[in-house]
């Protein structure tokens, strides 16, 4: 389902947020039934995206019609360098 989430990311969160974030992985969330979504985000935008975490969770779950994720984790990346 991460492939589908990546393919439809702009429709899920909107074009503005999609430009500065990228879904990286879905992992089991500790102590919860749902999953954790890891998002790649430039360091300069991390605070803004963190404040929108609840909204991102709501949008993802509403788009897919079920509780797909419980929370997000941000992986800050410099725009000039790709993660290894």
């Amino acid at each position: 389902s991460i492939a589908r989430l990546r393919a439809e990311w702009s429709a899920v969160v909107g074009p503005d947020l999609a430009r500065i974030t990228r879904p990286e992985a879905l992992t089991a969330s500790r102590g919860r039934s749902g999953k954790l979504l890891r998002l790649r985000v430039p360091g300069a935008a991390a605070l803004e995206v963190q404040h929108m975490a609840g909204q991102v969770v709501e949008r993802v779950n509403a788009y897919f019609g079920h509780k797909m994720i419980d929370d997000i984790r941000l992986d800050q990346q410099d725009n000039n360098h790709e993660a290894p």
Side-chain angles (χ1 to χ4, degrees):
S1 51
I2 190 67
R4 181 174 175 208
L5 190 56
R6 284 179 183 156
E8 300 176 29
W9 190 238
S10 185
V12 173
V13 297
D16 292 336
L17 193 55
R19 270 191 287 281
I20 59 170
T21 60
R22 181 177 189 271
E24 287 295 306
L26 286 170
T27 58
S29 184
R30 290 185 202 165
R32 299 183 186 183
S33 60
K35 293 189 177 190
L36 179 73
L37 173 62
R38 275 191 9 231
L39 290 179
R40 180 182 290 186
V41 60
L47 185 60
E48 177 183 356
V49 175
Q50 186 63 46
H51 284 298
M52 298 177 69
Q55 188 177 25
V56 171
V57 170
E58 287 177 11
R59 287 180 181 183
V60 169
N61 292 338
Y63 187 85
F64 289 99
H66 62 90
K67 189 174 182 179
M68 182 175 183
I69 63 171
D70 281 326
D71 205 356
I72 64 170
R73 189 182 95 201
L74 303 181
D75 289 340
Q76 295 181 33
Q77 300 291 324
D78 183 351
N79 283 340
N80 299 325
H81 302 93
E82 287 295 316

